[in-house]
């Protein structure tokens, strides 16, 4: 039962009781009455403010006014309450989405940390076992290292793989990407590189393999300085080519909407992957070497099995509705990045198939992206004549390199150690990482440079361009 003020006959906000008349009053009203009359309004007996006793009650609920009992008033009240509930629900959904993204980043960082800890634990165990094996023993001669050209032999004379007991080899340390190889070309020597060879071939893409405007894929042997295979099958120009790191297999993409898997030794197409309905704009090989990532003008990215040619998953960002221009796997193979025609860089979680981060900042279509080997940095280039570097740990842009006006970035690549970054476009530029200072600039090509690649330990640099030439740079 609600309290009612004896003066106003309304529910009081600050109720109090008079010990003289035992009536309930609104404190504000009774104080004014006492100030004017000095008596209790109900019986006229003397009363002071100090005699009033406050009543502690829950927040009073005022009864609805008679006008609020009509059907239109009730509907208006319900509408107001519905709007309030919807606004609260929208706020909660926003907070939930933010929390999910933060959780996704935290889980990724935790997973990466667990993998690093497991790997280091394994290396420590192997090193301890190797140390225990190699401890000098009384009367025994320390074993000699087996030359690299003479593999160890097991039972029956068969070659035997070196087990973990020998500890970490220099090759393993070099491939980890976080340790700079001892024989990596130094920046001062890299700055002395000059063109040492130029070959006229009908290609316009990168490295020791090429993709051609004449619809062919060309495989070039640097040591022999000759073309070893010309692979024909695409019906439109070839825009992207990847050479498998451990097999004689080449992957190519084309605006004819197909991805082809080629055997270099056989010189033929062994698999056609039909993952897209639009032109394929980018390719990237998974760290395992068994799966292929592709991007397309049809706004989808696809993840395919190269052995069977089967498309395992195909995803698009329905909210963006924009063509994808390039794609690249992160070195750990768990996430990857895509560039879009509306200047966005999107980071995706492969397992969850969700967009986990976006990097806005460019003002033109993204043309190329590259992850550093240690997985910390992302380099992006676009048609706004700029090169941006992003820190994946802090999810922010920490460096922007403004290039010449109308400079077109077509290719970005880090060397295997993550020490140097090469940029191909209107010319060829090489930057040293961390300082991000330019150490090389070549303008030998007469056409737009569409591909650059480093040799092992940056001992040479190769490039291809629209002038249909393949050039090598070294000391």
């Amino acid at each position: 039962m609600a309290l009612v003020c004896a003066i106003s006959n309304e529910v009081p906000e600050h109720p109090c009781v008079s010990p003289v008349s035992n009536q309930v009053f609104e404190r504000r009203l009774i104080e004014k009455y006492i100030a004017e009359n000095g008596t209790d309004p109900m019986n006229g007996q003397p009363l002071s403010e100090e005699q009033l006793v406050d009543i502690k009650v829950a927040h009073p609920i005022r009864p609805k006014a008679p006008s609020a009992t009509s059907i239109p008033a009730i509907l208006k009240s319900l509408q107001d309450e519905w709007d309030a509930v919807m606004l609260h629900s929208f706020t909660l959904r926003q907070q939930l989405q933010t929390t999910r993204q933060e959780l996704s980043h935290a889980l990724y960082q935790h997973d990466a940390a667990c993998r690093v800890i497991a790997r280091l634990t394994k290396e420590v165990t192997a090193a301890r076992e190797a140390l225990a094996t190699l401890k000098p023993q009384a009367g025994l001669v320390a074993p000699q290292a087996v030359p690299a050209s003479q593999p160890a032999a097991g039972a029956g004379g068969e070659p035997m793989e070196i087990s973990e007991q020998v500890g970490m080899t220099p090759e393993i340390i070099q491939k980890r990407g976080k340790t700079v190889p001892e024989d990596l070309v130094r920046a001062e020597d890299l700055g002395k590189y000059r063109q040492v060879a130029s070959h006229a071939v009908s290609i316009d893409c990168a490295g020791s393999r090429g993709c051609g405007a004449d619809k062919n894929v060309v495989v070039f042997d640097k040591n022999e300085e000759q073309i070893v295979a010309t692979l024909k099958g695409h019906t439109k120009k070839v825009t992207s080519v990847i050479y498998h790191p451990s097999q004689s297999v080449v992957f190519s993409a084309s605006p004819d909407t197909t991805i082809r898997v080629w055997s270099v030794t056989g010189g033929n197409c062994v698999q056609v992957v039909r993952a897209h309905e639009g032109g394929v704009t980018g390719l990237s090989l998974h760290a395992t070497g068994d799966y292929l990532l592709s991007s397309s003008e049809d706004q989808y990215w696809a993840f395919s099995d190269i052995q069977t040619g089967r498309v395992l998953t195909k995803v698009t960002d329905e909210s963006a509705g924009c063509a994808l221009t390039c794609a690249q796997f992160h070195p750990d193979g768990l996430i990857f990045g895509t560039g879009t025609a509306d200047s966005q860089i999107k980071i995706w979680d492969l397992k969850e198939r969700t967009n986990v981060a976006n990097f806005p900042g460019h003002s033109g279509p993204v043309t190329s992206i590259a992850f550093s080997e240690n997985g910390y940095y992302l380099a992006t280039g676009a048609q706004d004549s700029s090169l941006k570097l992003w820190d994946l740990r802090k999810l922010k842009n920490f460096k922007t390199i403004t290039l010449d006006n109308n400079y077109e970035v077509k290719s970005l690549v880090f060397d295997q150690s993550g020490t140097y970054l090469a940029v191909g476009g209107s010319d060829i530029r090489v930057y040293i990482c961390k300082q991000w200072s330019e150490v090389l600039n070549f303008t030998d090509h007469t056409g737009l440079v569409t591909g650059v690649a480093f040799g092992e330990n940056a001992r040479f640099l190769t490039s291809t361009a629209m002038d249909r030439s393949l050039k090598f740079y070294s000391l």
Side-chain angles (χ1 to χ4, degrees):
M1 179 177 178
L3 300 176
V4 178
C5 176
I7 298 176
S8 64
N9 289 325
E10 293 183 354
V11 177
E13 292 184 5
H14 302 286
C16 63
V17 64
S18 169
V20 176
S21 62
N22 295 327
Q23 294 292 323
V24 176
F25 299 98
E26 170 66 55
R27 174 171 278 279
R28 173 176 49 83
L29 296 178
I30 189 62
E31 285 179 349
K32 286 183 179 180
Y33 187 89
I34 293 173
E36 294 176 0
N37 303 291
T39 60
D40 188 295
M42 304 307 296
N43 55 21
Q45 295 184 14
L47 180 65
S48 64
E49 292 183 15
E50 290 76 10
Q51 292 179 278
L52 297 176
V53 180
D54 288 326
I55 301 176
K56 294 183 180 180
V57 295
H59 184 71
I61 301 176
R62 295 178 176 275
K64 293 185 178 179
S67 60
T69 58
S70 64
I71 292 178
I74 294 174
L75 292 177
K76 177 64 168 60
S77 177
L78 291 175
Q79 182 65 51
D80 292 342
E81 292 181 4
W82 172 260
D83 292 344
V85 170
M86 289 300 101
L87 288 174
H88 183 64
S89 176
F90 175 73
T91 303
L92 289 178
R93 286 201 305 271
Q94 283 187 320
Q95 294 174 350
L96 176 61
Q97 180 63 22
T98 302
T99 304
R100 281 180 173 173
Q101 288 186 346
E102 293 175 353
L103 178 61
S104 177
H105 294 319
L107 290 176
Y108 168 72
Q109 293 173 350
H110 174 73
D111 182 63
C114 289
R115 286 186 286 106
V116 170
I117 292 171
R119 183 179 62 191
L120 293 178
T121 302
K122 184 177 179 181
E123 292 172 2
V124 168
T125 303
R128 286 176 176 172
E129 292 178 355
L131 181 61
T133 303
L134 296 176
K135 279 183 178 179
Q137 299 180 12
L140 294 180
V141 180
Q144 299 294 318
V146 179
S149 60
Q150 300 178 4
E158 293 294 329
M160 180 180 66
E161 294 185 357
I162 303 300
S163 64
E164 293 182 356
Q165 279 73 13
V166 299
M168 290 185 63
T169 65
E171 289 78 13
I172 294 176
I173 295 175
Q174 176 180 335
K175 290 181 180 180
R176 292 177 64 193
K178 296 183 181 179
T179 303
V180 177
E182 292 182 359
D183 52 353
L184 178 72
V185 175
R186 296 177 299 177
E188 53 267 28
D189 295 331
L190 189 71
K192 301 176 184 177
Y193 273 21
R194 297 292 180 269
Q195 179 180 320
V196 295
S198 179
H199 304 275
V201 291
S202 180
I203 61 177
D204 60 6
C205 285
S208 58
R209 72 283 184 197
C211 48
D214 61 356
K215 310 173 188 177
N216 297 335
V217 177
V218 178
V219 181
F220 189 90
D221 189 319
K222 176 183 179 296
N223 296 327
E224 299 294 333
E225 295 190 355
Q226 64 180 6
I227 295 174
V228 296
T230 300
L231 310 173
K232 301 180 179 181
H234 283 291
T235 58
K236 293 184 179 180
K237 69 177 183 179
V238 182
T239 56
S240 184
V241 167
I242 299 176
Y243 201 104
H244 198 287
S246 59
Q247 304 175 23
S248 295
V249 176
V250 171
F251 311 96
S252 63
S254 168
D256 64 8
T257 74
T258 64
I259 302 166
R260 291 179 177 266
V261 183
W262 307 87
S263 170
V264 177
T265 54
N268 63 314
C269 178
V270 296
Q271 198 72 253
V272 178
V273 182
R274 302 184 184 277
H276 300 284
E277 297 178 0
V280 184
T281 57
L283 288 180
S284 182
L285 188 64
H286 192 265
T288 61
D290 297 325
Y291 304 99
L292 200 64
L293 171 69
S294 58
S295 60
S296 171
E297 294 175 351
D298 64 5
Q299 305 177 16
Y300 282 84
W301 61 261
F303 185 66
S304 308
D305 187 327
I306 64 174
Q307 301 297 330
T308 63
R310 189 164 62 94
V311 179
L312 303 179
T313 187
K314 185 176 177 182
V315 177
T316 185
D317 186 352
E318 297 179 354
S319 63
C322 189
L324 302 183
T325 55
C326 53
Q328 185 68 41
F329 267 119
H330 187 273
D332 68 5
L334 297 178
I335 61 173
F336 62 90
T338 59
T340 68
D342 63 350
S343 71
Q344 296 289 317
I345 297 100
K346 298 179 179 291
I347 305 299
W348 299 80
D349 185 308
L350 179 61
K351 184 178 179 180
E352 300 297 331
R353 294 169 293 182
T354 55
N355 177 208
V356 295
N358 293 320
F359 293 145
H362 283 292
S363 57
V366 179
T367 55
S368 182
I369 62 177
F371 290 96
S372 65
E373 190 63 25
N374 61 14
Y376 294 160
Y377 304 123
L378 170 65
T380 62
Q383 292 183 12
D384 56 4
S385 301
S386 72
L387 174 65
K388 290 184 178 292
L389 286 308
W390 310 83
D391 190 324
L392 297 177
R393 296 165 293 182
K394 300 179 181 178
L395 299 178
K396 69 175 184 178
N397 170 228
F398 67 90
K399 180 72 175 179
T400 297
I401 300 175
T402 302
L403 305 171
D404 304 334
N405 290 334
N406 300 320
Y407 191 100
E408 296 186 52
V409 179
K410 291 296 183 182
S411 178
L412 294 172
V413 63
F414 285 92
D415 76 302
Q416 187 179 21
S417 68
T419 305
Y420 304 114
L421 172 66
V423 182
S426 302
D427 55 21
I428 302 170
R429 303 185 182 191
V430 177
Y431 296 87
I432 183 169
C433 299
K434 295 185 179 179
Q435 292 89 355
W436 305 109
S437 56
E438 184 178 311
V439 294
L440 276 180
N441 190 326
F442 294 122
T443 58
D444 303 294
H445 284 288
T446 58
L448 189 65
V449 179
T450 54
V452 288
F454 284 102
E456 184 179 3
N457 293 325
R459 290 186 184 131
F460 68 88
L461 180 70
T462 180
S463 64
T464 53
M466 294 301 292
D467 59 8
R468 297 194 172 190
S469 68
L470 171 65
K471 296 183 183 296
F472 292 93
Y473 301 88
S474 184
L475 289 173

